[in-house]
């Protein structure tokens, strides 16, 4: 059966900042911006008119601290964006990233046991993640996407949401998230690179495929509605195995470094951008992804629309 790419396959990521009338370029990340909410709404109108229906929001706070307070305060940047987006775009499916790395001074994905080491306090982290998810749910989010790789994060968030009457909010778990070299442009965008140590204590080792499949099974058991494999391109085998093994909605995250590769090569005329993007996205779908989180989504929607004309 031939693989067809559809607009509905995609989730388009956005970075949102505080303030007004801001659209900031990110040097290593061509075509991707940090938007204040007012400008974000304008860009979403364009995205929506191209025919895309799903977005994923990342927040960048005005202030970072050790407890990530600005991630879950009632007026946090993401909750504010979600409220505004849902008011204007009722049929848009809005997902939010639920993690601490953009909100902590040290840049790690959880609350630390001691400030000088990368050791995560799991219980405290779960509480913070649940509070973040609740603040987004109160604002009207459709899906929350915990990406901290904290143990039992999916069940903790599920419990917190249900307890507060948000049983309808779904969870998209970053289940198989590898300690990858492909996150560079994202970390520039979110200013979230760890200030010391690395994420190998909580993200997965790419030499160990079995662990990834175990994490996926665990997240499904904990109640994840969608599971993510991330990154996509160096992990097509994991996507394929997960697709064959689990009868569950599967998303692949075509991450920032994978996107930047394509963009830089296209600039140097090493390849035709549209052709290489369709080849890559087809491969991700062929491996078995039901959904693809990709910074290429807007361009793809444009190209698909041109083909129809
Ligand atoms: C962490 C997070 C990361 C990405 C999304 N959420 C990576 C990381 O810094 O570990 C990367 C996405 C991308 O590269 O596009 N919460």
């Amino acid at each position: 059966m031939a693989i067809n790419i559809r607009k509905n396959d995609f989730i388009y990521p956005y970075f949102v900042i505080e303030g007004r009338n801001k659209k900031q370029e990110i040097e290593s990340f061509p075509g991707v911006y940090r938007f204040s909410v007012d400008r974000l709404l304008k860009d979403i109108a364009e995205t929506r008119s191209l025919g895309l229906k799903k977005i994923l929001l990342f927040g960048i706070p005005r202030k970072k601290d050790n407890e990530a307070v600005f991630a879950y305060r009632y007026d946090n940047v993401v909750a504010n964006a979600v409220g505004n987006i849902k008011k204007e775009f009722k049929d848009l499916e809005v997902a939010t990233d639920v993690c601490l790395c953009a909100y902590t001074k040290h840049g790690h994905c959880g609350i630390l046991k001691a400030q000088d080491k990368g050791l995560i306090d799991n219980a405290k982290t779960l509480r913070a993640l649940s509070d973040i998810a609740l603040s987004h749910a109160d604002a009207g989010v459709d899906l929350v996407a915990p990406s901290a790789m904290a143990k039992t994060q999916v069940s903790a968030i599920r419990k917190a949401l249900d307890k507060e009457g948000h049983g309808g909010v779904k969870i998209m778990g970053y289940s198989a998230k590898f300690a990858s070299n492909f996150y560079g442009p994202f970390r520039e965008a979110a200013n979230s690179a760890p200030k010391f140590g690395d994420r190998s204590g909580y993200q997965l080792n790419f030499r160990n495929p079995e662990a990834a499949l175990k994490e996926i099974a665990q997240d499904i058991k904990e109640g994840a509605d969608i599971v993510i494999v991330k990154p996509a391109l160096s992990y097509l085998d994991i996507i394929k195995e997960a697709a064959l093994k689990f009868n569950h909605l599967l998303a692949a995250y075509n991450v920032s470094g994978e996107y930047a590769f394509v963009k830089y090569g296209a600039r140097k005329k090493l390849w035709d951008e549209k052709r290489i993007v369709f080849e890559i996205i087809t491969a991700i779908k062929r491996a078995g992804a039901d959904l693809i989180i990709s910074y290429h989504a807007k361009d793809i929607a444009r190209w698909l629309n041109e083909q129809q004309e």
Side-chain angles (χ1 to χ4, degrees), residues 12-15 24-26 29-35 189 259 295:
Y12 185 60
Y14 274 112
F15 295 93
Q24 298 175 344
E25 286 191 31
I26 303 154
F29 213 167
V32 175
Y33 305 88
R34 303 184 198 96
F35 292 100
Y259 166 91
Y295 307 96

Side-chain angles (χ1 to χ4, degrees), residues 15 29 58 97-101 109 147-148 174 177-178 182-187 192-194 199 203 230 253-257 295:
F15 295 93
F29 213 167
F58 292 93
D97 186 74
V98 174
C99 194
L100 305 189
C101 59
C109 296
S147 69
Y174 286 77
K177 180 174 178 185
F178 289 90
F182 283 101
Y183 303 147
F186 176 94
R187 290 181 185 175
S192 63
R199 303 211 202 288
Q203 294 183 352
K230 172 184 173 186
Y253 199 141
N254 176 214
V255 299
S256 61
Y295 307 96

Side-chain angles (χ1 to χ4, degrees), residues 113-259:
K113 283 190 171 146
Q115 287 313 323
D116 56 339
K117 293 197 195 77
L119 274 182
I120 304 288
D121 184 325
N122 205 63
K124 276 191 189 160
T125 301
L126 290 181
R127 242 171 283 141
L129 294 172
S130 300
D131 287 344
I132 298 172
L134 284 175
S135 77
H136 299 175
D138 287 342
V141 83
D142 298 292
L143 278 134
V144 289
S147 69
M149 293 300 282
K151 287 186 190 68
T152 68
Q153 60 181 9
V154 171
S155 61
I157 290 172
R158 182 72 273 156
K159 227 192 258 164
L161 288 171
D162 290 348
K163 193 168 154 235
E164 297 300 325
H166 290 304
V169 174
K170 295 197 166 121
I171 299 181
M172 176 162 76
Y174 286 77
S175 309
K177 180 174 178 185
F178 289 90
S180 168
N181 296 289
F182 283 101
Y183 303 147
F186 176 94
R187 290 181 185 175
E188 190 196 335
N191 183 17
S192 63
K195 298 289 176 294
F196 49 84
D198 57 30
R199 303 211 202 288
S200 59
Y202 41 98
Q203 294 183 352
L204 301 174
N205 182 340
F206 54 73
R207 296 168 192 84
N208 188 352
E210 292 81 20
L213 293 165
K214 261 199 209 148
E215 292 280 349
I216 294 172
Q218 174 70 22
D219 277 6
I220 292 173
K221 212 166 80 190
E222 289 183 29
D225 300 278
I226 303 174
V227 289
I228 303 178
V229 174
K230 172 184 173 186
L233 293 181
S234 299
Y235 301 87
L236 292 173
D237 57 325
I238 308 288
I239 296 173
K240 174 116 197 190
E241 274 193 68
L244 291 175
K245 191 162 174 182
F246 307 105
N247 186 17
H248 207 81
L249 266 182
L250 179 64
Y253 199 141
N254 176 214
V255 299
S256 61
E258 299 173 330
Y259 166 91

